[in-house]
Amino acid sequence: MRYLLLEYDHPQEDEAKQVYSELDRENRETRRVELYPNGLWFAYGDEHGREEALSPDPFPEDVRTLNIPGEISARTIAPGVFREVWDQAAERPDGFMGMFF
């Protein structure tokens, strides 16, 4: 497994600011957590379900090719960083309903 973080410099209100992804050996997304500027988050895959929202295309071997200066930065992260974000996501109400709890 590989783990990466995509950070968007100027997301719109309805676009994620940070996207944490877990990738399998074929560089396909198996789990993802999206954090939005307004504090909402969405998790996909594993116990959260919604696997259809995961990217069907494999990520490039060198994630730095996803970098666009001033727009998006991509980097690999340690497995523990991803697990911490994933575990925190499991402890909070998610998405739209999270605005009410």
Side-chain angles (χ1 to χ4, degrees):
M1 295 288 191
R2 280 194 331 155
Y3 302 88
L4 45 112
L5 170 60
L6 302 174
E7 294 185 280
Y8 297 87
D9 291 341
H10 308 289
Q12 299 296 317
E13 179 120 358
D14 62 344
E15 295 175 337
K17 179 170 179 56
Q18 296 175 312
V19 177
Y20 294 82
S21 295
E22 175 185 71
L23 307 180
D24 65 12
R25 291 181 184 196
E26 287 85 38
N27 288 321
R28 294 188 186 277
E29 208 170 37
T30 57
R31 295 190 291 174
R32 178 174 71 220
V33 177
E34 298 175 348
L35 302 173
Y36 288 77
N38 61 6
L40 289 179
W41 67 272
F42 293 92
Y44 305 98
D46 208 21
E47 70 265 17
H48 290 285
R50 301 180 271 193
E51 284 83 6
E52 67 278 0
L54 298 172
S55 177
D57 300 319
F59 281 75
E61 189 64 39
D62 183 358
V63 296
R64 293 176 298 177
T65 62
L66 300 172
N67 290 334
I68 301 172
E71 292 182 37
I72 183 173
S73 62
R75 62 186 168 95
T76 58
I77 58 174
V81 173
F82 180 85
R83 278 193 295 274
E84 184 176 318
V85 170
W86 183 260
D87 291 345
Q88 287 177 3
E91 294 174 4
R92 301 170 55 197
D94 71 327
F96 180 75
M97 292 305 293
M99 296 185 333
F100 302 104
F101 297 100

